[in-house]
Amino acid sequence: MAFTYVRTVQGELISPLKALLGKALEGSIPLENVPEGLHLRLGTTTESGIDARFTGRSVTFRPSSSFTA
């Protein structure tokens, strides 16, 4: 998972904060144990964490495997 667009809800970011945020988000975050056929469609932040939306076809979930994003 990688961030390609970041925006503020209110106001503008000051230059040092914008640079720091850009540096922190320049890499990608690996998604582990995502079942084959399932793809991340959208990820947004919430007060409690990240809301992730996935799409897929012929996806099999196995009780013995853990799914963490």
Side-chain angles (χ1 to χ4, degrees):
M1 175 171 68
F3 297 91
T4 57
Y5 176 73
V6 178
R7 69 178 174 90
T8 58
V9 175
Q10 185 174 3
E12 291 290 323
L13 291 176
I14 59 173
S15 292
L17 183 56
K18 194 172 190 175
L20 182 63
L21 185 60
K23 181 92 170 142
L25 298 177
E26 71 184 10
S28 62
I29 302 167
L31 296 177
E32 299 176 358
N33 302 322
V34 176
E36 187 175 337
L38 196 61
H39 304 280
L40 180 64
R41 181 173 52 90
L42 175 69
T44 56
T45 58
T46 66
E47 288 183 10
S48 60
I50 296 178
D51 179 35
R53 306 289 171 108
F54 292 85
T55 57
R57 285 192 159 186
S58 301
V59 179
T60 302
F61 291 94
R62 304 192 193 299
S64 61
S65 65
S66 62
F67 172 49
T68 57

